[in-house]
Amino acid sequence: MTEWTQDQAMSQLDPIFDEIDTICRGGLARYQQYPAELRIEHDGRAAAACIYTHMVALADELLTDRPGIVFKNIRGLKVWIIGDRATIRFKKMDEDGRTRNYPTKQARDFDRQLSLPGIPHPPLNLVVGYLPNPLGTEVDRVQVARPAGKAIDWCAAIVPTENRIVGQPRWIDVTRQANFG
C-alpha cells in the first residue's frame, strides 16, 4: 500500500490515542507548573521548546519500548514508528495542523513524505501535536496531521477521553477546506 487514507492512518494510531493525548496535554501541563516569574520571561519559541522537551520525555516514558513501537533519533529528528508503517513526531500546531520552526533537512524530508534512514518505506509520516488556546495556557485539541511538504493533506482531532461516547468515532476530521474565492 503506497497511499494511506486518513481513516487507515488514524486506525493505525487508534490503540495509542490515550497516550498521544496524555503526551500532548501533559507537555503543556508540565510547562504550566514552572513558576510564573520564569514563564513570563519566555517568548513563544522558548515556551514551545520547553513544552516539546516535556512531550518527548513523556513519549519516551509512554511509548518507547512498548511492543509494536520503535523509537528512532534521525540526526536530531525524534520519531516513533507505530506498527508497520506510521511514523510520528510531536510538535505544536495551528488549527490546520501546520507547524512552525526552522526545519532541518530531515524534518523537511519527513514532511515531504520521503524515506529517512530506519523509517519504513513507503513512509506514512504524521505530525502529532497540540493546538493551544489563544493564551497558550491550555490545549484546545490534540491533532494528527499528514504533511505534504509545506501543505497539509488532512488534519484530525483526537476526541478527549472524557468527551468520548461509546460507539462514536474516537477522532474527527478537522481539515479546513481551501478557500477558492
Side-chain angles (χ1 to χ4, degrees), residues 45-94:
R45 189 168 129 189
C50 292
I51 295 164
Y52 170 78
T53 299
H54 294 306
M55 287 193 311
V56 168
L58 283 166
D60 186 48
E61 178 184 323
L62 297 173
L63 299 178
T64 302
D65 297 328
R66 186 172 159 168
I69 299 177
V70 176
F71 171 74
K72 295 280 183 186
N73 185 339
I74 304 167
R75 296 182 308 275
L77 180 70
K78 295 177 173 117
V79 299
W80 286 260
I81 301 169
I82 312 300
D84 65 348
R85 189 54 39 108
T87 302
I88 62 172
R89 68 185 181 118
F90 291 92
K91 297 291 288 180
K92 175 183 174 184
M93 306 168 111
D94 70 11

Side-chain angles (χ1 to χ4, degrees), residues 99-110:
T99 63
R100 292 189 338 191
N101 63 345
Y102 182 80
T104 62
K105 180 185 182 318
Q106 59 269 21
R108 284 191 307 271
D109 287 349
F110 183 93

Side-chain angles (χ1 to χ4, degrees), residues 74-172:
I74 304 167
R75 296 182 308 275
L77 180 70
K78 295 177 173 117
V79 299
W80 286 260
I81 301 169
I82 312 300
D84 65 348
R85 189 54 39 108
T87 302
I88 62 172
R89 68 185 181 118
F90 291 92
K91 297 291 288 180
K92 175 183 174 184
M93 306 168 111
D94 70 11
E95 65 185 354
D96 295 318
R98 287 186 176 82
T99 63
R100 292 189 338 191
N101 63 345
Y102 182 80
T104 62
K105 180 185 182 318
Q106 59 269 21
R108 284 191 307 271
D109 287 349
F110 183 93
D111 288 349
R112 291 180 186 135
Q113 299 298 316
L114 299 175
S115 291
L116 294 171
I119 291 182
H121 182 79
L124 172 62
N125 298 336
L126 304 172
V127 179
V128 175
Y130 66 100
L131 171 67
N133 68 358
L135 295 176
T137 56
E138 295 179 3
V139 173
D140 269 354
R141 68 182 181 222
V142 173
Q143 304 180 140
V144 178
R146 184 182 184 277
K150 292 183 180 184
I152 298 296
D153 280 343
W154 52 260
C155 184
I158 295 173
V159 177
T161 305
E162 63 273 10
N163 296 344
R164 290 186 192 148
I165 300 169
V166 175
Q168 295 296 311
R170 293 167 35 100
W171 63 272
I172 56 172

Side-chain angles (χ1 to χ4, degrees), residues 12-32:
Q12 186 86 8
L13 298 183
D14 186 271
I16 60 165
F17 279 171
D18 292 343
E19 289 83 355
I20 289 171
D21 193 73
T22 297
I23 290 163
C24 294
R25 292 179 191 281
L28 181 59
R30 284 185 180 181
Y31 179 71
Q32 290 298 324

